[in-house]
Amino acid sequence: MLQAKDSTKVFRLYIDDPTSSYSIIAQRVFNTYKQMHTYQCVDFVRKQHDRWLKFDHGRMKIYDAIMKLNKFVDESDPDVDVPNMYHGFQTAEGLRKAYPDEDWLHLVGLIHDCGKVLALNSEPQWAIVGDTFPVGCQFSDKIVYHKTTFENNPDLNHEIYSTKYGMYTPNCGLEQCLMSWGHDEYLYRVLNNHPACTLPDEGLYIIRYHSFYPWHTGGDYMYLCNETDLRRLELIRRFQKFDLYTKDDNDLPDIDKLESYYLSLIEKYIPGIVAW
């Protein structure tokens, strides 16, 4: 089972009133979520599916996608201010150390944020990064900045979408839910579309829901989960600890030394050219 040591560093510190803070990062994070929670709605997500899930925005290997993140800094992340490429290697190495025999898990740690290559096509960060949540039903109070960022969302007072279950049914399963659009869902769909991908279902599930913090950390939306979701919840929670607690701006991995190992995993589980 996935486990990670506790950290003395405080992570995911979201300042309620970032205007009172001198931190540029805190203000940047709030502004990203403000835009996300204004525009992420059913209509927007459906349009993104139509745009991106034709997989006609380029072709490249998974490792090339990782390298493309060498200048991408996640504007929703209050914990780090370095390119996202390093975070993938830090997560992977944490998992590799704890579970040396679960090589598919090391690869999931490496690639879990690769969907952020959406930024290469000029997508705004609020449509790429940050915590995810279902659209088409009531917005949970477990969502970051819930009280101060949703007032202009077109679904907030919708006759159906503002109700607890919205357009869903009790225990329908998360796979039936339309999640806010971002790198999680995009990479999951890209890998599902790639015929040569042999990552186990558990790995794909981690990729799809690792940013769904209102669920796996906040404990909400259980009423939409089916048995599969509830069974895999602990897996997601344990992965999240590596995703979170391996972040360190001051201890960046030597990628040149790690490259050959991870290239071998990509060749094993996600070989060839991938359609994006």
Side-chain angles (χ1 to χ4, degrees):
M1 299 178 70
L2 302 181
Q3 300 179 46
K5 294 180 179 179
D6 292 333
S7 173
T8 56
K9 179 180 177 179
V10 177
F11 290 89
R12 290 180 58 82
L13 180 60
Y14 296 98
I15 300 173
D16 291 334
D17 182 13
T19 59
S20 66
S21 170
Y22 291 103
S23 169
I24 294 176
I25 292 179
Q27 294 177 35
R28 181 191 75 190
V29 170
F30 177 83
N31 290 337
T32 301
Y33 274 104
K34 176 68 173 179
Q35 293 179 82
M36 180 196 308
H37 295 165
T38 297
Y39 300 114
Q40 290 273 7
C41 61
V42 171
D43 184 59
F44 172 75
V45 173
R46 285 174 173 165
K47 287 178 178 178
Q48 291 296 87
H49 281 207
D50 184 62
R51 177 184 180 189
W52 291 103
L53 301 186
K54 294 181 177 69
F55 310 109
D56 57 358
H57 288 81
R59 297 172 62 84
M60 60 181 163
K61 294 182 177 181
I62 284 289
Y63 198 77
D64 293 333
I66 296 168
M67 293 297 105
K68 293 288 186 181
L69 298 177
N70 67 340
K71 295 182 180 180
F72 180 84
V73 176
D74 188 330
E75 294 180 355
S76 72
D77 194 334
D79 302 321
V80 294
D81 197 34
V82 297
N84 215 174
M85 174 184 66
Y86 293 106
H87 170 57
F89 280 96
Q90 288 173 330
T91 305
E93 284 296 283
L95 291 163
R96 182 183 178 187
K97 181 178 180 180
Y99 304 98
D101 298 327
E102 303 291 337
D103 62 354
W104 65 268
L105 190 57
H106 313 162
L107 183 57
V108 168
L110 178 70
I111 71 170
H112 72 283
D113 278 349
C114 275
K116 293 177 183 178
V117 295
L118 285 165
L120 301 179
N121 289 278
S122 301
E123 281 290 276
Q125 288 224 18
W126 59 263
I128 301 173
V129 302
D131 295 1
T132 59
F133 52 91
V135 295
C137 63
Q138 187 178 68
F139 299 122
S140 168
D141 61 7
K142 300 297 184 181
I143 299 173
V144 172
Y145 297 124
H146 172 267
K147 293 182 179 180
T148 55
T149 55
F150 278 102
E151 63 268 22
N152 295 318
N153 188 291
D155 290 350
L156 183 64
N157 297 307
H158 189 278
E159 181 180 3
I160 296 175
Y161 304 156
S162 63
T163 63
K164 179 177 179 177
Y165 292 102
M167 61 185 189
Y168 311 115
T169 57
N171 306 117
C172 61
L174 295 182
E175 65 179 4
Q176 300 299 321
C177 297
L178 196 63
M179 300 296 293
S180 56
W181 179 253
H183 69 281
D184 301 50
E185 186 71 17
Y186 181 52
L187 181 60
Y188 168 77
R189 297 294 192 107
V190 165
L191 294 177
N192 259 346
N193 183 64
H194 186 54
C197 179
T198 58
L199 281 175
D201 289 343
E202 291 83 357
L204 295 173
Y205 192 91
I206 288 171
I207 288 169
R208 192 176 197 182
Y209 298 114
H210 72 271
S211 297
F212 190 9
Y213 273 84
W215 171 57
H216 64 61
T217 300
D220 208 345
Y221 295 108
M222 296 299 175
Y223 46 87
L224 295 177
C225 296
N226 60 19
E227 291 183 4
T228 298
D229 299 316
L230 296 177
R231 186 171 64 250
R232 291 179 174 171
L233 176 56
E234 186 60 22
L235 174 68
I236 292 283
R237 284 174 170 167
R238 293 181 184 275
F239 177 86
Q240 174 267 330
K241 296 183 186 301
F242 288 92
D243 186 9
L244 190 62
Y245 296 131
T246 57
K247 294 177 182 179
D248 189 345
D249 286 4
N250 300 312
D251 186 20
L252 300 181
D254 187 336
I255 293 174
D256 289 340
K257 292 182 178 179
L258 302 174
E259 184 178 67
S260 61
Y261 174 69
Y262 288 104
L263 283 173
S264 71
L265 295 189
I266 291 171
E267 184 60 29
K268 179 178 179 180
Y269 290 106
I270 320 174
I273 306 294
V274 177
W276 297 85

